[in-house]
Amino acid sequence: MIRRVRILAAKELKSFFDSPFAYVLLIVWLVISSYFFFRAAFLMGEASLRPLFELLPWLLLFFVPAVTMRSLSAEKQDGTLEVLLSHPINEVEIIAAKLIANVGFVVIALLLTLPIPLGMSLGGRLDLGMMAGQYLGAVFLIIGLSSVGIFASSLSKNQTVSFIIALFFTFLLISTGLQFVIMAVPFPLTNVVRQLSALAHFDSMTRGVIGLADIAYFAALTMVFSALSYFGLRRERESHQSARYKMLRLGTALIIIVSVLVSLIGSSIGGRVDLTAGRLYSLSGATSKILRELPDVVTIKLYSSRQLPPEAEAALRDIKDVVLDYQAISKGRVKALFLSPKNGAEAQAELQEAGIEQVQFNVVRQDEYQVKKGFLGLTIEYGSQKETIPFINQTADLEYQLSRLIRKISSEKQKKVVFLEGHSPIKPPPGLGAENPDTYGQWRALLAEVYQVEDLAIKKGEAIPKDIGVVIIAGPTSSAAKHELKTLTKFIEEGGSVLALIDSLTISDQTMGVVPNKTNFTNFLAGYGLTVQPRLLFDMQSNQMISAGSQDNYFSIPYPFWMQVQPASDDTIVRDIGVVTIPWGQSLKIGKKSKPLLVTTQFAGFQAKDFDVMPNPEMNIAKEKLSKQIVAASRTLKSGGRLIVVGDSDFLKDKFVAAQGSANGVFGQNAVDWLAQDASLAGIRSKNTQGRMLVFQSEAVRDGVRYFNLGGVPLIVALLGFARLSRRRQRTRKVFAS
């Protein structure tokens, strides 16, 4: 059987490439996918294939029906199906061979997009594991949709009709995963509809995580439509009154029922393979270490409503997986409980006591939106102590939150971090975490999740208290007194740590004027081989967009003085840190014993005089004047003392920490963790901010990558097709001597 299927599949696949239509399909596929991908990817400025795989289901919506429409329709129309069945081959083998051949052709089309990631790698470091997961997920989607197309082809002799039927079923499977479609479905059916959607399961795989539940879904989808295709072929050869036909109908119905049930209960199937670099969706080694060091049992109680909106149901599966992972690797130190209290006064009291919030969401019932209450939160209990996450609205940082809270309630005492007072015009916000664009309120709130955060004034004759681990010098504009520098020196020599955010130049947001900022902190840090130079940096390639123009005519332009910098090494502080924006930064000159942490791209320059920081879309600097610059660096002393110096104090203010996609706050937290010699949470925290920058060496390289994929690859396919078809035409015209 396998040999017959292999021979038939090879013949079918070869027949694709004997037709000009196949090459036209491939060229259209490549042009459309490349055009829309590069349009989105270059706007994002991120080394990621996400735009391609977000578009892929909608490309396959048309591509797969166009490929599969001739599979059985052409055989029926030409009368070759009966001839084929007269040979020692059955319907199962025919359908299997057709499926393999059609999947093979579409997978070849998918593989022809590989020059896209190869080109992108010239401008950024792709997550190869995630890419592998995305392509593997695409193969599963192709298998499922191809089975739909073959089923449609079995229904009619007309290829156009088969195309339309396949288009309808494919659109149904994809569109049911869209949020606005799910919202239009009556609430009790929303989760059923979502579980039956191919898009929902494919989206899960595009993260680079291959789950058994998603594999089970695509296997069930393929089985359902393959069974229907088999039924379509067999029913034409059986009398509808015969017992064999009735058994055929019953067997097909049972296969469909079992497959649908497998798909619906798939959300409860655990197990997944995380292919991402750094295992973004698996527990880190730091979490394992925290759990191993627990002196007693921690109980995690997950509270969830019996009925949740679809997006919350999807999150619930991920949350359960994470909690079960904690229980599995803790070796008995973590106990997981999943609770769904019923409605009523007793349940309300239980939730209130646990600190779980009830939230409102809209559902559709009787053709109108209705407001419904639900809950999805958890508690962490250790002895008599308890910490609560009242409502889990996203799972990206769930591991960090759980590990942070477990460590917090199981630790005897929090370490102390202080901000040096008396030298910065920035006052602490009125409340911890209160947002003010020109304060460090958001950053202080993040630090307070792990440390005791206070302010410190160094008094003459007094040493820095022993329980203080890190002193933060944030944006000083006045010099320190001699006794302050002496006290700081002693603190460092005795193993203390300092984080210094130093401006050698200050810039006014209002006037855009640049003035020197001369304080003795600069010379103090230079003594440790960390000198902030009065050079205002800009980066011509990696920078942030800002809004400019008049009140009625706003537009966005790149602003080179707000640089997007990158890690200088694989150090724990900056590993997989994501995008850190440094506004109006200054360069660092470091000694041999210091280590760079953050650097610009090689397209950075500086102004040392005649400063002009006004937005200028026509700003142009000769390439020979550009080079990589150091923005942040660290040093560890023999005494055990540690220092980190950053040539900017604005990047940790609220307006930059709170910006969407910003890793500024993560860098600030990681820096303090390292200085406090407690970097256990740094690796977990950084897992959630992995935005990989996309910066090409030049515009020519970027355009070359775009146009090679947009025009070069389709042209190669066209030439290969022309060569093959020409050679085939010559063979058919060749006259052989008798």
Side-chain angles (χ1 to χ4, degrees):
M1 175 181 175
I2 294 176
R3 181 174 177 272
R4 292 193 295 270
V5 170
R6 187 177 70 249
I7 293 171
L8 189 58
K11 175 179 173 294
E12 183 78 10
L13 183 60
K14 180 177 176 295
S15 69
F16 277 112
F17 296 99
D18 290 336
S19 167
F21 181 66
Y23 297 99
V24 172
L25 272 180
L26 290 175
I27 291 168
V28 172
W29 159 273
L30 290 169
V31 170
I32 292 176
S33 58
S34 295
Y35 173 78
F36 284 104
F37 169 76
F38 284 107
R39 185 180 179 185
F42 288 166
L43 281 174
M44 287 169 51
E46 184 178 327
S48 168
L49 296 181
R50 190 174 63 197
L52 176 64
F53 289 95
E54 286 177 349
L55 176 67
L56 187 70
W58 303 103
L59 291 176
L60 294 176
L61 171 64
F62 296 95
F63 189 76
V64 171
V67 171
T68 58
M69 65 182 181
R70 61 180 290 277
S71 296
L72 294 172
S73 294
E75 300 273 13
K76 287 184 175 183
Q77 189 175 31
D78 298 339
T80 54
L81 184 60
E82 288 78 7
V83 176
L84 189 61
L85 288 170
S86 66
H87 290 78
I89 188 169
N90 58 42
E91 291 86 350
V92 172
E93 293 168 342
I94 291 173
I95 292 169
K98 295 284 185 181
L99 180 62
I100 292 169
N102 281 272
V103 168
F105 181 79
V106 183
V107 168
I108 288 171
L110 178 68
L111 294 178
L112 286 173
T113 64
L114 283 174
I116 291 177
L118 290 175
M120 292 285 283
S121 65
L122 297 176
R125 186 168 54 92
L126 290 170
D127 186 333
L128 297 180
M130 182 178 291
M131 186 182 83
Q134 290 167 333
Y135 273 94
L136 186 58
V139 171
F140 280 111
L141 180 63
I142 288 167
I143 293 171
L145 297 185
S146 295
S147 68
V148 175
I150 292 171
F151 162 68
S153 183
S154 72
L155 298 178
S156 173
K157 295 180 180 180
N158 190 307
Q159 294 185 35
T160 304
V161 172
S162 297
F163 175 82
I164 293 171
I165 294 172
L167 188 69
F168 171 76
F169 279 106
T170 304
F171 178 75
L172 207 62
L173 287 168
I174 293 174
S175 63
T176 48
L178 298 174
Q179 189 60 38
F180 74 89
V181 174
I182 293 175
M183 287 293 293
V185 175
F187 180 67
L189 299 177
T190 53
N191 292 316
V192 174
V193 170
R194 190 181 186 283
Q195 283 300 317
L196 294 177
S197 168
L199 184 63
H201 292 276
F202 175 67
D203 284 345
S204 178
M205 288 181 161
T206 57
R207 301 180 304 166
V209 179
I210 308 300
L212 290 179
D214 301 317
I215 293 174
Y217 168 82
F218 285 111
L221 177 65
T222 305
M223 186 62 70
V224 165
F225 283 97
S226 296
L228 288 172
S229 299
Y230 175 77
F231 177 76
L233 293 183
R234 286 292 301 173
R235 70 173 182 172
E236 296 176 1
R237 296 165 58 84
E238 300 287 349
S239 169
H240 290 195
Q241 305 302 320
S242 67
R244 291 180 64 179
Y245 177 77
K246 292 177 182 178
M247 288 298 295
L248 172 67
R249 190 169 55 184
L250 177 62
T252 304
L254 286 174
I255 290 173
I256 293 171
I257 291 170
V258 171
S259 299
V260 171
L261 287 175
V262 168
S263 175
L264 290 176
I265 66 174
S267 59
S268 62
I269 300 175
R272 64 192 191 279
V273 178
D274 186 352
L275 299 175
T276 59
R279 302 188 68 190
L280 296 180
Y281 302 98
S282 302
L283 299 186
S284 65
T287 292
S288 300
K289 184 174 183 294
I290 290 171
L291 297 180
R292 285 198 306 269
E293 294 174 351
L294 285 173
D296 206 345
V297 176
V298 168
T299 302
I300 301 177
K301 294 181 180 178
L302 175 62
Y303 294 84
S304 61
S305 298
R306 294 176 182 271
Q307 288 187 323
L308 287 169
E311 62 274 15
E313 278 286 351
L316 178 60
R317 186 180 78 173
D318 291 338
I319 295 166
K320 284 184 175 180
D321 283 345
V322 171
V323 173
L324 288 172
D325 285 349
Y326 269 78
Q327 182 174 259
I329 70 170
S330 70
K331 296 182 179 179
R333 293 183 177 87
V334 172
K335 181 181 179 182
L337 298 175
F338 302 120
L339 306 173
S340 297
K342 297 180 180 179
N343 295 328
E346 187 177 339
Q348 293 287 337
E350 182 181 353
L351 293 173
Q352 189 172 359
E353 183 182 354
I356 304 298
E357 292 180 358
Q358 284 200 330
V359 296
Q360 295 181 339
F361 51 86
N362 291 326
V363 298
V364 178
R365 277 190 174 171
Q366 298 177 349
D367 298 326
E368 64 178 8
Y369 282 106
Q370 296 181 3
V371 176
K372 190 174 178 66
K373 289 185 177 181
F375 50 89
L376 181 59
L378 58 79
T379 63
I380 301 172
E381 299 177 5
Y382 178 79
S384 60
Q385 295 180 287
K386 182 171 71 174
E387 292 287 341
T388 303
I389 301 179
F391 183 76
I392 307 171
N393 56 5
Q394 54 96 19
T395 59
D397 65 343
L398 183 60
E399 182 189 354
Y400 169 69
Q401 296 296 341
L402 288 174
S403 296
R404 175 183 67 82
L405 292 174
I406 289 172
R407 198 184 69 160
K408 181 179 178 181
I409 64 174
S410 62
S411 300
E412 295 182 359
K413 189 177 181 181
Q414 284 183 297
K415 294 185 178 181
K416 191 177 290 186
V417 173
V418 298
F419 283 75
L420 184 63
E421 282 187 338
H423 302 285
S424 173
I426 300 173
K427 301 296 182 184
L432 193 62
E435 189 171 341
N436 183 323
D438 291 316
T439 70
Y440 298 113
Q442 295 291 307
W443 181 37
R444 290 174 69 111
L446 292 172
L447 293 177
E449 293 177 351
V450 182
Y451 304 100
Q452 292 185 47
V453 180
E454 299 177 0
D455 295 296
L456 174 72
I458 299 177
K459 297 179 181 179
K460 193 172 184 178
E462 294 184 5
I464 294 174
K466 297 289 186 182
D467 61 343
I468 292 176
V470 182
V471 174
I472 299 174
I473 306 170
T477 55
S478 63
S479 292
K482 288 183 178 180
H483 75 271
E484 290 179 297
L485 295 182
K486 186 177 180 181
T487 301
L488 282 171
T489 301
K490 185 179 180 183
F491 173 70
I492 295 169
E493 289 176 351
E494 291 178 350
S497 298
V498 170
L499 171 59
L501 314 179
I502 304 298
D503 298 307
S504 58
L505 301 165
T506 57
I507 295 88
S508 168
D509 286 5
Q510 304 300 321
T511 65
M512 303 298 281
V514 182
V515 295
N517 179 37
K518 297 180 179 180
T519 71
N520 57 5
F521 284 104
T522 303
N523 291 332
F524 171 72
L525 295 167
Y528 292 98
L530 297 161
T531 306
V532 181
Q533 299 175 301
R535 293 178 172 182
L536 190 62
L537 298 177
F538 56 84
D539 195 313
M540 301 301 295
Q541 283 286 336
S542 183
N543 50 61
Q544 188 167 311
M545 302 292 287
I546 63 169
S547 297
S550 62
Q551 185 174 358
D552 300 323
N553 184 28
Y554 277 108
F555 53 91
S556 295
I557 60 171
Y559 187 52
F561 292 96
W562 284 13
M563 305 174 294
Q564 292 185 335
V565 298
Q566 56 194 3
S569 67
D570 197 36
D571 192 281
T572 305
I573 306 170
V574 292
R575 184 186 303 142
D576 299 324
I577 194 70
V579 177
V580 176
T581 300
I582 300 290
W584 300 308
Q586 294 104 63
S587 63
L588 260 65
K589 181 181 179 181
I590 64 174
K592 293 181 180 180
K593 297 180 180 180
S594 301
K595 185 177 183 180
L597 294 176
L598 295 175
V599 294
T600 66
T601 69
Q602 64 268 38
F603 303 104
F606 61 86
Q607 293 179 357
K609 59 181 180 178
D610 300 326
F611 299 102
D612 181 9
V613 297
M614 294 296 292
N616 179 11
E618 298 180 359
M619 183 177 177
N620 190 20
I621 307 296
K623 191 174 180 179
E624 56 269 17
K625 294 184 178 180
L626 303 178
S627 62
K628 187 177 289 187
Q629 303 286 332
I630 300 171
V631 180
S634 66
R635 183 180 174 187
T636 302
L637 305 180
K638 290 182 179 180
S639 63
R642 298 183 175 189
L643 296 98
I644 290 179
V645 177
V646 185
D648 180 50
S649 68
D650 292 318
F651 81 107
L652 285 172
K653 292 179 180 178
D654 288 358
K655 59 185 173 185
F656 295 104
V657 171
Q660 185 176 6
S662 169
N664 289 32
V666 174
F667 173 78
Q669 289 175 280
N670 286 359
V672 172
D673 285 348
W674 181 79
L675 291 168
Q677 302 189 36
D678 183 14
S680 58
L681 293 176
I684 308 172
R685 193 185 294 122
S686 300
K687 285 170 64 174
N688 311 308
T689 59
Q690 278 202 11
R692 297 169 181 245
M693 291 196 301
L694 183 67
V695 181
F696 290 96
Q697 291 185 354
S698 66
E699 293 285 338
V701 174
R702 188 181 74 169
D703 290 342
V705 170
R706 182 207 294 262
Y707 293 117
F708 174 73
N709 282 279
L710 193 59
V713 177
L715 180 61
I716 292 171
V717 171
L719 292 174
L720 290 173
F722 179 77
R724 177 177 173 81
L725 294 174
S726 297
R727 188 167 62 252
R728 186 169 184 270
R729 192 177 299 112
Q730 289 173 0
R731 286 179 179 176
T732 57
R733 291 177 179 177
K734 187 175 180 180
V735 178
F736 295 92
S738 57

